[in-house]
Amino acid sequence: MLIYQPFPFLNVHAGTYWANKALATTTDVMGYTTGFSLELVKDKLSFQGDYYSGHSNVSGAVVNLFYQCLPKTQFYLGVGVPETNSGNEFYGIVGFSVSSQ
């Protein structure tokens, strides 16, 4: 994975991915990924997006909005956008994460 941070509040990244055949449900198991992370309000609110190439179950784009409610705790909301001809549907994401660092 290559990461470039042109500004303190923005990073962009790109790399490759591999998904096993059971997860991808096709032989299209390798591809590239690219994305960004944008800190809208320092240590409070950030926006993240990722794209996964291909035409399998893992292909498409994901965008999330993260809200850091406590120093090590975040809530997030997002949406998954399917890749053309992947057979996937749009989906919503709601989550909660806790980190140790």
Side-chain angles (χ1 to χ4, degrees):
M1 178 75 66
L2 300 171
I3 300 172
Y4 175 63
Q5 189 166 6
F7 305 103
F9 56 87
L10 172 68
N11 82 38
V12 292
H13 52 271
T16 60
Y17 75 88
W18 173 83
N20 67 30
K21 288 181 184 178
L23 182 61
T25 66
T26 70
T27 57
D28 187 12
V29 296
M30 294 213 48
Y32 70 89
T33 181
T34 185
F36 68 92
S37 180
L38 177 63
E39 190 172 41
L40 302 170
V41 178
K42 185 158 180 64
D43 298 326
K44 270 299 179 204
L45 190 66
S46 62
F47 184 64
Q48 178 184 356
D50 291 294
Y51 171 75
Y52 298 90
S53 70
H55 299 287
S56 69
N57 281 350
V58 295
S59 304
V62 177
V63 291
N64 289 303
L65 185 64
F66 289 86
Y67 173 69
Q68 188 168 340
C69 53
L70 297 171
K72 297 180 182 182
T73 306
Q74 294 179 336
F75 287 103
Y76 55 95
L77 297 169
V79 63
V81 180
E83 179 64 82
T84 306
N85 300 323
S86 67
N88 296 333
E89 299 288 333
F90 284 88
Y91 58 92
I93 303 165
V94 176
F96 171 82
S97 68
V98 178
S99 70
S100 62
Q101 297 184 15

